[in-house]
């Protein structure tokens, strides 16, 4: 296709179509503490709205948790924990099904490196595709976008009684990112 015939808006649409060949999955995890984080739970929300949630029954102990985690995170767990040996393959399979139909695979999006590291350490050995499993820490190309995202995320979680539940936080992350992107696309 001759890109010169598309004009500037056609080129932008073409670039967007070429970039959007993977499924983005928004990630939040809960873990014991920041010094030696051990994974407790995982919440995933695909760009299309599908959700997944897992609690781990092993690999962490209550006495390894910070006071914050004991007070604000552990009471939100539903007690359905599964062994890490089962959780890794289960999450990898869920991600694989979320990525079906994508050209390049799945891109995990999180707002902390710790979330990405804990999840990919658990899932990568079991990843079978489709395509690659990539991980990206959320970064905005402009300060205005970053500020708007932070405002949206804060508003979504401000009065949320289950804040710090991995699925609740992942859902808020997905909504804030998609809304920020939509608002800034509309400004062009």
């Amino acid at each position: 296709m001759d890109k010169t015939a598309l004009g500037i808006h056609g080129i932008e649409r073409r670039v967007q179509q070429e970039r959007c060949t993977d499924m983005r999955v928004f990630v939040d995890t809960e873990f014991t503490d920041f010094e030696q984080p051990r994974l407790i739970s995982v919440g995933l929300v695909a760009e299309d709205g599908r959700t997944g949630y897992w609690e781990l029954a092993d690999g962490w102990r209550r006495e390894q948790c910070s006071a914050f985690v004991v007070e604000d995170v552990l009471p939100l767990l539903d007690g359905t924990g599964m062994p890490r040996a089962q959780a890794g393959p289960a999450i990898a399979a869920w991600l694989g099904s979320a990525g079906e139909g994508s050209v390049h695979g799945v891109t995990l999006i999180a707002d902390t490196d710790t979330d990405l590291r804990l999840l990919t350490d658990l899932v990568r050995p079991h990843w079978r595709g489709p395509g690659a499993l990539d991980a990206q820490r959320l970064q905005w190309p402009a300060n205005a976008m970053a500020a708007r995202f932070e405002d949206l995320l804060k508003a979504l979680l401000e009065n949320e009684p289950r804040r710090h539940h991995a699925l609740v936080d992942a859902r808020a992350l997905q909504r804030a990112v998609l809304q920020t992107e939509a608002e800034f696309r509309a400004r062009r």
Side-chain angles (χ1 to χ4, degrees):
M1 175 181 290
D2 180 12
K3 289 188 180 183
T4 58
L6 289 173
I8 188 71
H9 296 294
I11 291 171
E12 288 174 1
R13 279 194 299 278
R14 179 79 178 159
V15 168
Q16 283 181 328
Q17 288 170 350
E18 290 171 0
R19 262 197 328 240
C20 296
T21 56
D22 59 347
M23 172 61 75
R24 293 188 299 175
V25 175
F26 299 87
V27 175
D28 189 74
T29 69
E30 301 303 335
F31 48 88
T32 54
D33 68 6
F34 282 101
E35 289 182 27
Q36 292 185 316
R38 299 178 196 291
L39 190 59
I40 296 172
S41 63
V42 175
L44 302 175
V45 179
E47 193 164 4
D48 64 9
R50 287 179 277 177
T51 63
Y53 176 72
W54 296 265
E55 292 178 5
L56 300 178
D58 59 4
W60 67 277
R61 294 187 319 274
R62 182 182 182 93
E63 52 272 7
Q64 295 168 320
C65 297
S66 69
F68 168 79
V69 171
V70 169
E71 293 171 18
D72 292 336
V73 174
L74 297 185
L76 300 176
L77 299 178
D78 62 20
T80 60
M82 65 173 47
R84 289 177 65 85
Q86 292 175 2
I91 296 169
W94 186 92
L95 288 167
S97 71
E100 284 180 8
S102 66
V103 174
H104 295 296
V106 173
T107 299
L108 304 173
I109 307 289
D111 57 2
T112 72
D113 291 330
T114 303
D115 287 342
L116 293 172
R117 184 177 51 79
L118 291 172
L119 179 58
T120 57
D121 285 353
L122 180 65
V123 171
R124 261 200 216 284
H126 310 286
W127 179 250
R128 302 293 177 259
L133 180 64
D134 293 320
Q136 292 181 4
R137 182 166 184 220
L138 186 61
Q139 294 182 336
W140 294 103
N143 289 338
M145 289 180 84
R148 180 62 180 144
F149 164 78
E150 291 297 331
D151 290 346
L152 287 168
L153 188 62
K154 182 180 177 184
L156 286 166
L157 292 171
E158 196 167 45
N159 296 314
E160 172 56 60
R162 293 181 51 84
R163 184 177 188 180
H164 304 301
H165 181 280
L167 184 55
V168 169
D169 292 358
R171 189 175 285 120
L173 177 66
Q174 182 246 25
R175 288 178 181 161
V177 167
L178 295 182
Q179 186 171 339
T180 300
E181 290 173 345
E183 288 178 11
F184 279 81
R185 266 194 310 273
R187 292 181 184 183
R188 285 194 224 174

